[in-house]
Amino acid sequence: MRFFNSLAGRLSQVRRSRLAAPALLMASLLMTGGIVAVITPASATKYSADADAIAKGRALFLVGCSSCHGKNAEGIQTQGGGQYGPSLVGVGAAAVHFQMETGRMPMANPGVQAPRKTVIYNQDEIDSIAAFIASVGPGPAEPTEAEWSVAGATNEQIVRGGELFRTNCTACHNFAGSGGALPGGKLAPALTGVAEKHIYEAMLTGPQQMPVFSDGVMTPQDKRDVIAYLKSTESAPGYGGTSMGALGPVAEGVFVWIVGLGALVGFAVWIAAHTARTKKGSNA
Amino acid sequence: MSAHEPHGNVEVVADPIADPGLSPHLPRPTDVDPAKEKRAERQVATLFGLSAVASILFAVAYFTFAIGENPDLILGFGASHVALGLSLGVALLGIGIGAILLARKLMDDHEIVEYRHPAASSEEDRKEAIAALTQGIAESTIGRRPLVRNSMLAGLGLLGVPAVVALADLGPLPGDTLAHTVWGKKKLMRLVQDVSGTPIKPEDIEIGQLINGEPEIFFTNPESGEAASLDLQAEKAKAAIIVVRMQPDEIKAAQGREDWGVDGILCFSKICTHVGCPISLWEQQTHHLLCPCHQSTFDLADNGRVIFGPAARALPQLPITVDSEGYLAAQSDFTEPVGPSYWERVEK
Amino acid sequence: MSKPFDSNGKKPAAAAKPNRLGNVAEWADERVGLAGLAKKNLRKVFPDHWSFMLGEIAMWSFVVLLLTGVFLSLWFKPSMEEVTYQGSYAQLRGLEMSAAYASTLDISFDVRAGLLMRQIHHWAAMLFIAAMIIHLMRVFLTGAYRKPREINWLIGGVLLLLGILEGFAGYSLPDDLLSGTGMRIADGLVKATPVVGTYMSFFMFGGEFPGHVIIPRLYIAHVLLIPGLILGLIGAHMLLLVFHKHTQWPGPGRTNENVVGYPMLPVYAAKAGGFFFIVFGVTTLMGALLSINPVWKYGPYTPAEVTAGSQPDWYMGIAEGLLRIMPGWEPTIFGHPLSLNVMLPGQVGPFIIFGSILAYPFIESWITGDKREHHLLQRPRNAPTRTAFLVALMTAYGLLWAAGGNDILATQFHLNLNWITYFMRVAVFVLPVVAFFITRRWCISLQRHDNEKVLHGYETGIIMRSADGAYSERHEALGSDEAYTLTARDRDEVYVPADGEDANGISSKQARSDRRRGKLSKKMFGNNVQKPTAQELEEAHHHGHDDATLIGHDAGQH
């Protein structure tokens, strides 16, 4: 199984090798340059300032994303009616920034989980694709730093963020943000070490199986409070020693058997072991 | 009783190898080499000394390192905690390991032999004990006075009644409290968000959204409002809800539940029907809800049906509507008891 | 008691040479008269073996629990009264929480060494039960439970149950999100009891879950009731141990009638006493370096919140695993729900596992009909069925424990949560059976190997080439000590029932029971390898002499 996965991964890497992407990009730009302006008339007025970015983004999208999400980001259904790649109409720029800046998209191979990995597009390319996706349907825009920054959060805000976190997030992401399991091989990822902006975007857009926490219900201030709480626990000292992954009692149970009982049985063996004996001068 | 009559020694000797007897005692290096003996002595003393030093360090650490809101840190760990733990640990291990070394290297190490005796008493003792018992019972005369015996037994037995009855006030009788929640306290009780208590408008909810909600009554003034008369934790344990929004065409509402939602917004009990954990692991694409305790999985697009795990019953759904001001509100109480099964929970 | 008991000696108790120790002893003896007891026990013999110290780990961790528990009780407030937290942990400051949780935070952040004591207490608790279980396994595998020690076996079983109950009560006290979730599950388990479940739940929680009394109730059980029982039973366990004297491994000079080892004073006292400090030291180091149950991260309990990775402490893991892999069966009887999906895994399953191991010694002794006292231990290989039985149970236990952490397995090893559950549903029935047969075969082949060594010596690894070119491995005879140790065991006897039919050819109840016993006896012992007889040994040695101490060991000859 793993072999096939890695094989598929390697094949798809070949398909999207670093050389191929720019080459295809150039070719498609040349070929479709003129057409782009024609097929985006609806949003032309609204996004005219970004027309170049949209065109570039569309070109990149056709190369890197359309095989799963469809040529017009309308999504592709499998024969069984399931989603091969979901529609991106209306997901907004925020979703693109989250998915691509964390390396989740493009996926190395189709699967139930899109894991974090190395980012392969540069920021300019991601911005362009985001502009393109924003142009196909209205959706949340990329949050500004003022929206996600938690610098200067007060302690009251952190405490409230903790309440919101325990109510809305711990069920999947665990009490310490260490992540948790979902059905069918999926998982809720760990939240430690994730940039503030990306946590914000994830709440805003609901990536993969994660539900949406829209601004109308969880206000930007609520979101900042949650992020502030996460960051404050992340930087909190290990009051009682190493956290052993903060996975809860299962890890503790493994440690008590291996470390605790292991050490004590080791001592017991030493205590009862035969001491060295000598044959010389055995007149004692 | 001849319990203590194991395979006689003769048989053991011949079966098939004779017992060669205890091996001769050989001295340890520390028994014959004064230099090694001195060395062992120093080792033990060093360990005991180390322990003494560590105990002093414990006291030093106790008064040196600050705890509280801005604790002193060592390598990112609480300095007071780690220093106290390490010094106490060394103090204890120093004594422990020192004592063991002392026993292993310096104490006399001749093994000695002790003989066992059967667990049973001698026949004579047993006879005497039984005689004493019989005599005691006879002298009590209870054996030949059945009236006394039976009335005493009845008296003693009925002492169980006060013992049991006295415990009846451990808790009130259940009645039908488990069958109702605060959602039934008022017509059109609003759904509000947990933590903030803000009411919810349908247009604020996007497809794929999850809201962890509570009934509005919990957020009234706890001193004077309607919440004042409630046992908040107990009511929360039944009334907590989740609100989700799906594409309306994906919902397979059961008969009679067609109007329980608002434009694809549905509301379910948050309390698992297995053993009562709050559930909110909602997968927005599959519409599955997973319980983090025992992994029961419910399909919210299909009336909360169980699709995996140990839960037996579908998640109860709260019928909702929009009130006059445009906020989500409950049409009524849950139409069935929420949470884990219990004996009086009779299926309608 | 016909003879009056005279506690006064004929001569006044006095040490041969007056010294301070003697004076103290004399003063004490004239008041409590313990010299007789002390004389017998101060030099009591204890055999030395690492596996005899496993129970000691349990006992000493209980002492650690008593000491640290007293410390914690000086600050802990067993109350569910709502308070507003104003302590040092900023992330929770200003929140409403129970006094129990707030005081646990105070112990962790505002009492110096408080967090250390809490962590030592929790590690020692987990260790206490782990040590009881491996002690139980040691006693089981070596047959140390045989007559006259059956009562101690049962006391040990009750201690294990009480320990688990005590642990559950203890980790429910802080009233954090995780322990509250545990209580919620306990409530669900209780409610699943047919007929009286709802009443039991209401009486337990003083009304509807979670109520306001469960923490004070658990507290008094945790600090007084259960530890009192445990202490008393440990006392009884120890008294019986002293009375029976410890079992020992067979060996030269070590028979069923004696016990060979070191005297209580000084060697055993130093070793056991030293071990106490080592157990305390190791738990202290664990408490210092490994964070356990960081309650401040879980937050206060509210019935509307939960965390991923909600697990009980490890010793509840099998019940948790059973609950997770149980299918959702809930039939209705007379209109009432019968929650098999909760009852079977939560109330029945663990007790079947526990009960079967506790009952095994009694079933075994019924089958063997052995009424002798046994003070020599058996090597696990020499009781293949018993060993295999325990390995099968351990397999089931391990699988269920893993099933209880299926979500952690899924995330840590990138497995599919649902597949783990499906796998476990089958594996808990199949793998123990497989483990049973593999272990039994393994034991029997080890027994064979022992016989080979006794009869033909051990393999030296030296390959010899004879004059006519044949290769063989040189075997050396065992030393007499080792050969004796290998053969110092009983022969198993398969019970053959007497023909129990009466004149009419109808078998009596007793005969039927005898026939069952015979069948089981054959299954249990029929395939065991018995130690060689003196005659076989003689023949093997002759054979060896013929080959001039060289024994060809090519395949097929043996």
Side-chain angles (χ1 to χ4, degrees), chain B residues 290-326:
Chain B
L290 174 82
C291 178
C293 290
H294 306 105
Q295 284 91 41
S296 297
T297 312
F298 303 87
D299 188 352
L300 296 197
D302 188 5
N303 309 293
R305 186 173 60 91
V306 181
I307 54 167
F308 181 79
R313 278 182 296 105
L315 212 52
Q317 187 178 352
L318 185 71
I320 55 169
T321 183
V322 176
D323 69 6
S324 54
E325 288 173 62

Side-chain angles (χ1 to χ4, degrees), chain B residues 4-311:
Chain B
H4 189 58
E5 202 63 75
H7 32 257
N9 273 338
V10 187
E11 202 186 324
V12 170
V13 167
D15 190 24
I17 295 164
D19 183 353
L22 275 181
S23 346
H25 177 258
L26 290 175
R28 298 163 296 190
T30 42
D31 293 328
V32 290
D33 184 345
K36 288 199 168 125
E37 187 187 350
K38 270 277 163 243
R39 195 162 149 254
E41 210 179 297
R42 277 195 304 272
Q43 281 173 347
V44 174
T46 308
L47 281 161
F48 288 159
L50 187 70
S51 166
V53 171
S55 290
I56 302 297
L57 282 179
F58 181 92
V60 172
Y62 190 94
F63 294 109
T64 306
F65 295 116
I67 56 164
E69 187 163 0
N70 293 303
D72 295 326
L73 299 179
I74 301 177
L75 301 170
F77 300 127
S80 172
H81 170 83
V82 172
L84 291 174
L86 288 181
S87 53
L88 182 60
V90 170
L92 292 163
L93 283 179
I95 292 191
I97 297 174
I100 304 284
L101 265 187
L102 179 65
R104 281 172 58 84
K105 294 201 164 173
L106 296 172
M107 286 182 182
D108 183 276
D109 76 327
H110 284 79
E111 283 189 313
I112 53 179
V113 179
E114 202 173 31
Y115 287 93
R116 295 182 189 274
H117 310 287
S121 329
S122 71
E123 201 58 36
E124 186 187 341
D125 281 358
R126 209 179 290 183
K127 266 188 198 137
E128 280 176 33
I130 288 172
L133 189 68
T134 322
Q135 187 183 355
I137 292 173
E139 286 176 9
S140 78
T141 72
I142 288 173
R144 56 191 166 81
R145 295 185 212 280
L147 182 65
V148 170
R149 185 192 63 203
N150 294 345
S151 56
M152 182 177 77
L153 285 179
L156 284 174
L158 282 173
L159 274 179
V161 172
V164 171
V165 167
L167 290 175
D169 265 352
L170 273 174
L173 298 184
D176 65 345
T177 30
L178 290 179
H180 307 291
T181 73
V182 290
W183 288 106
K185 287 238 175 219
K186 195 172 97 175
K187 196 95 186 108
L188 290 181
M189 185 168 321
R190 278 184 186 161
L191 282 58
V192 300
Q193 290 184 59
D194 206 343
V195 183
S196 69
T198 43
I200 307 159
K201 282 199 162 153
E203 54 269 31
D204 288 337
I205 309 178
E206 291 181 10
I207 304 286
Q209 180 121 23
L210 164 78
I211 300 169
N212 291 285
E214 300 282 358
E216 189 183 24
I217 190 172
F218 292 167
F219 291 88
T220 57
N221 191 327
E223 311 288 316
S224 56
E226 288 162 298
S229 62
L230 296 178
D231 182 350
L232 217 53
Q233 291 280 74
E235 293 301 340
K236 235 185 190 179
K238 290 187 297 186
I241 46 154
I242 50 168
V243 180
V244 294
R245 183 165 201 170
M246 294 168 254
Q247 297 284 4
D249 59 0
E250 287 175 336
I251 298 172
K252 293 176 260 180
Q255 207 177 7
R257 290 190 176 190
E258 295 87 352
D259 63 342
W260 280 19
V262 177
D263 297 335
I265 300 172
L266 299 182
C267 178
F268 285 91
S269 164
K270 196 179 181 178
I271 310 302
C272 187
T273 60
H274 179 221
V275 281
C277 286
I279 336 175
S280 57
L281 278 83
W282 194 51
E283 295 195 310
Q284 61 134 319
Q285 291 176 4
T286 59
H287 314 128
H288 293 167
L289 188 73
L290 174 82
C291 178
C293 290
H294 306 105
Q295 284 91 41
S296 297
T297 312
F298 303 87
D299 188 352
L300 296 197
D302 188 5
N303 309 293
R305 186 173 60 91
V306 181
I307 54 167
F308 181 79

Side-chain angles (χ1 to χ4, degrees), chain A:
Chain A
M1 194 60 196
R2 180 175 288 176
F3 169 73
F4 285 115
N5 280 347
S6 63
L7 183 67
R10 251 179 282 143
L11 283 176
S12 63
Q13 268 162 15
V14 172
R15 231 186 292 129
R16 277 196 330 269
S17 84
R18 279 170 199 278
L19 281 176
L24 272 167
L25 161 65
M26 287 311 291
S28 51
L29 269 179
L30 287 170
M31 287 194 299
T32 59
I35 308 167
V36 170
V38 180
I39 57 163
T40 52
S43 50
T45 47
K46 195 179 170 192
Y47 295 100
S48 59
D50 301 325
D52 286 350
I54 293 171
K56 187 183 170 197
R58 181 179 168 79
L60 286 164
F61 184 86
L62 284 170
V63 176
C65 321
S66 62
S67 62
C68 298
H69 292 291
K71 286 199 176 118
N72 298 306
E74 74 282 21
I76 293 179
Q77 301 245 312
T78 58
Q79 281 185 326
Q83 279 178 342
Y84 186 62
S87 165
L88 302 182
V89 176
V91 301
V96 178
H97 283 282
F98 173 80
Q99 298 283 359
M100 299 192 69
E101 285 169 14
T102 60
R104 287 184 164 79
M105 290 292 151
M107 289 172 80
N109 47 294
V112 289
Q113 184 79 24
R116 286 180 78 173
K117 54 186 186 302
T118 319
V119 182
I120 56 167
Y121 285 80
N122 66 34
Q123 194 59 48
D124 183 48
E125 291 167 334
I126 294 171
D127 290 344
S128 306
I129 295 173
F132 167 67
I133 292 298
S135 75
V136 300
E142 181 184 14
T144 61
E145 185 168 349
E147 283 178 280
W148 53 255
S149 172
V150 294
T154 65
N155 194 55
E156 282 74 33
Q157 288 170 339
I158 291 174
V159 171
R160 193 165 173 282
E163 284 202 273
L164 289 166
F165 180 74
R166 285 188 294 275
T167 305
N168 295 295
C169 318
T170 50
C172 305
H173 291 285
N174 150 309
F175 63 95
S178 313
L182 297 178
K186 287 161 284 189
L187 54 90
L191 301 178
T192 40
V194 181
E196 286 93 332
K197 173 172 176 267
H198 294 145
I199 302 176
Y200 191 98
E201 286 167 347
M203 287 190 269
L204 193 61
T205 62
Q208 273 94 47
Q209 298 296 347
M210 176 166 163
V212 180
F213 293 91
S214 70
D215 283 348
V217 175
M218 188 177 257
T219 64
Q221 186 56 49
D222 290 344
K223 292 192 177 75
R224 279 195 294 278
D225 291 351
V226 169
I227 297 170
Y229 173 76
L230 274 173
K231 291 298 158 191
S232 83
T233 51
E234 208 173 302
S235 58
Y239 295 102
T242 54
S243 70
M244 304 176 296
L247 293 172
V250 172
E252 293 162 5
V254 170
F255 267 78
V256 85
W257 275 90
I258 295 174
V259 178
L261 211 51
L264 288 171
V265 170
F267 271 115
V269 170
W270 172 63
I271 292 170
H274 292 287
T275 25
R277 298 285 155 174
T278 180
K279 287 210 164 117
K280 58 177 177 181
S282 52
N283 50 357

Side-chain angles (χ1 to χ4, degrees), chain C residues 49-65:
Chain C
H49 191 266
W50 68 267
S51 69
F52 300 166
M53 312 190 76
L54 300 174
E56 245 178 70
I57 300 179
M59 185 173 74
W60 293 138
S61 38
F62 184 70
V63 175
V64 173
L65 285 167

